[in-house]
Amino acid sequence: MSKVAKPHLLMRLCALRGDRIAMVFQEPMTALNPLHPIGCQIG
């Protein structure tokens, strides 16, 4: 795949941004720890 994005891919990305994709901010002290199983951290 080339490093230059294709116009139809850019149009699809623009259609997603702001509508279906959002940024989720996390506090560093409450973020999930990758060293522990997620079930133990959430449940």
Side-chain angles (χ1 to χ4, degrees), residues 3-23:
K3 293 188 183 232
V4 177
K6 309 239 183 305
H8 66 280
L9 293 177
L10 287 175
M11 288 173 52
R12 288 182 64 196
L13 283 174
C14 289
L16 285 175
R17 289 185 181 130
D19 185 31
R20 293 174 44 189
I21 296 178
M23 182 175 288

Side-chain angles (χ1 to χ4, degrees), residues 30-43:
T30 60
L32 297 174
N33 186 338
L35 300 178
H36 298 288
I38 196 162
C40 295
Q41 298 180 65
I42 293 178

